[in-house]
Amino acid sequence: MTTVEISSTQLSQHTGSAVRIHGHIQSLRDMGNLAFVVIRDMSGAVQLVADEAEVLSVVRLATCETPVSAEGVVVAKPNGQGFEIHLKELTLLSTPAPSLPVEIGKQSKVDGLALSTMLDYRPLTLRSPKVRAIFKIEAVFCEAFREFLRERQFTEIHSPKIVATGTEGGAQLFKLNYFGREAFLAQSPQFYKQIMVGALERVFEVAPVYRAEEHDTTRHLNEYISMDVEMGFIESERDLTDLLNKLVRHMFEKVSQSCPEELSLFGAKVPEVAVIPAVTLSEAVDIINSYQKKGSAEKTDLDPEGEKIICEHFLKTENTDLVFITGYPLSVRPFYAMPLPAEGEMSSRSFDLLFRGLEITTGGQRIHRHEELVAAIKGRGLDPEAFKDYLQCFQYGMPPHGGFAIGLERIAKQLLGLPSVKLAALFPRDINRMTP
RNA sequence: GGCGCUGUAACUCAACUGGCAGAGUGCCGCGUUGUCUGCGCGGAAGUUGGGGGUUCAACUCCCCUCAGCGUCGCCA
């Protein structure tokens, strides 16, 4: 009989055959003259059954997480629920692992871990089925994001992360020493993606961005993955919200199709995305005030509590997990935001997308006329000379354009109902943590 | 960074009004042929975050310090 190399998901196709499989030992149950070994591989897990003295002696040397190669015959489980491998030979591929600080094989134990323990032992906790599922889902989000945009003739770009100036001045920048000169880690690919609209018309980028903000919350990271989009020749920000609407629909559909098991580990329900409703900021504030006894919410921005109330309202009234907030005042947006003169006060052609109570996207149309942009920069008390290189593309003609950015860890956190965005980053960087 | 809370075994947590530092899981040993939270018996495991103080006596009260969690500002 020839031995075939398989992975755990292919068991049913090899009933009665001799197979070889490799993975890490996830659990060991030694019953004396019978032992059960569950191994976890890239695709799932499988139970090995050992009942021969020679194999049992090897099993007794093994410990949880030891990588092994196993050979045996695929058989149906006696209870009829799935398949297992009747073990003929087990090879330990490394020194047996010492006892584990956290029990990653048991879901209840992993769920009960303190966030700091989860992160301190990250190389280990990332192996647990539920933790790694987060990152499989994020990979599918990225895949779907790329797929959708490529189909619409967007080109993927890679902008520099070492930059000479900040974009908006709002978020704090990490300073670094660049051969004796001052440089910064990019807080956003904003300027570069706009410049690339001049060259490629439609671009996107999936890359880390850096924010040196000194807050430690469940929705902030100092390094996170920004899924950026920018497109030219738009008529208004409506073109962007339409695109974003279809994009998130595609991303959710793809995750729903590709990751049913990963989603079920979290009991997560993927939202059905129809036409995402939109409200202006001032309408949103009125709605929030109608729920709160104090009528004091300001009409400049929403606080986290307000974001929650708005989302609850729209879930109740329109059965949607997603809602656009539009018409932010120019004053709370970066200088390049396109103004929208409305009701006496200057509003902007920008929007946020909220998902189950959290902002996952910000975007908008940008100013594309050179003279207007220079005036906007001066209006913020900034020096146009500092933005000389960025302004070049406007000097030589830029079409009406705009874009948005989706926070990968945030959309994953909200989808899976994670208590902190830090759990959605492989190795999160926050104000207190730089390792592992 | 402000405010609040918490630090006890590898992990998750108990310990009354200040009175012998414990449990479950994991780990080690022995037994167990259908486990999947294996089961049974036995065992090891602690500078109670650190430092100082009050007291006959401190995990417990006070001060300092370090760390973690929550929350707010800001943002994706």
Side-chain angles (χ1 to χ4, degrees), chain A residues 153-157 193-204 230-233:
Chain A
Q153 292 173 281
F154 282 78
T155 303
E156 180 161 14
I157 62 166
K193 67 178 183 173
Q194 285 186 261
I195 290 168
M196 290 313 292
V197 161
L200 292 164
E201 194 175 320
R202 296 181 176 190
V203 296
F204 70 91
E230 197 78 12
M231 78 185 284
F233 298 97

Side-chain angles (χ1 to χ4, degrees), chain A residues 99-142:
Chain A
S99 91
L100 309 179
V102 295
E103 292 162 59
I104 60 164
K106 282 185 192 159
Q107 198 52 65
S108 57
K109 293 288 181 179
V110 174
D111 286 341
L113 285 183
L115 180 62
S116 57
T117 310
M118 177 71 95
L119 298 179
D120 286 343
Y121 296 107
R122 202 56 164 163
L124 185 58
T125 55
L126 282 167
R127 296 182 180 191
S128 90
K130 196 166 171 179
V131 173
R132 70 182 189 171
I134 299 168
F135 300 99
K136 284 191 179 182
I137 287 167
E138 288 187 358
V140 172
F141 268 141
C142 288

Side-chain angles (χ1 to χ4, degrees), chain A residues 315-335:
Chain A
L315 182 62
K316 217 162 48 184
T317 58
E318 304 201 27
N319 194 31
T320 174
D321 287 312
L322 293 145
V323 57
F324 280 116
I325 310 292
T326 65
Y328 282 86
L330 222 41
S331 61
V332 300
R333 291 304 206 187
F335 67 78

